[in-house]
Amino acid sequence: MSDHPEAPVAPVEAYEPPYYVAVFTTVRTQNQSGYSETNAGMEDLVRDVPGFLGMDHAQTPGGLGITVGYFRDADALTEWRCNAEHRAAQKRGQDEWYQSYTLHVAKVERSHGFTRA
């Protein structure tokens, strides 16, 4: 979701499973009017969802964007999915900002990480 260049470059830490991920992959349209502001608002809003663990972002030079949201349980993911402001942003995304997108939701059964000292 983030277009913030000051965001730290580090993946979300590995959590003890099980937890859930929502993988949102997009190709945007040329019209991005209002996208950055709405995106920043959604990032602030999702942080208030109990059970939200974090998110990772990636953007290819060709325009493919990937956001992975991490949620402690299905209830947290459902709360985010049903949030009225999020639903309005989704609608605007379909109407204006996205050429195409996919959403994959999965339950994480294994998780580990590495950080160089």
Side-chain angles (χ1 to χ4, degrees):
M1 284 186 204
S2 181
D3 288 332
H4 305 295
E6 70 277 0
V9 179
V12 170
E13 67 181 271
Y15 288 95
E16 183 65 32
Y19 57 92
Y20 287 81
V21 295
V23 181
F24 185 55
T25 307
T26 64
V27 175
R28 293 193 216 169
T29 63
Q30 291 295 318
N31 175 16
Q32 294 298 294
S33 177
Y35 179 84
S36 292
E37 298 82 5
T38 300
N39 182 51
M42 292 301 101
E43 286 190 10
D44 289 341
L45 191 62
V46 73
R47 283 174 175 56
D48 291 336
V49 173
F52 173 73
L53 301 173
M55 71 178 83
D56 289 321
H57 312 282
Q59 184 84 30
T60 69
L64 183 71
I66 301 172
T67 298
V68 182
Y70 302 86
F71 296 85
R72 173 51 52 207
D73 52 38
D75 290 342
L77 189 55
T78 297
E79 182 172 333
W80 175 238
R81 180 175 47 94
C82 294
N83 178 282
E85 289 180 67
H86 182 216
R87 300 293 284 180
Q90 289 173 339
K91 174 75 170 108
R92 190 165 178 202
Q94 291 172 348
D95 291 346
E96 298 177 38
W97 300 318
Y98 299 123
Q99 182 67 38
S100 63
Y101 70 81
T102 58
L103 174 67
H104 305 276
V105 176
K107 185 175 184 180
V108 175
E109 296 180 0
R110 187 170 61 118
S111 181
H112 68 276
F114 167 80
T115 301
R116 186 171 309 282

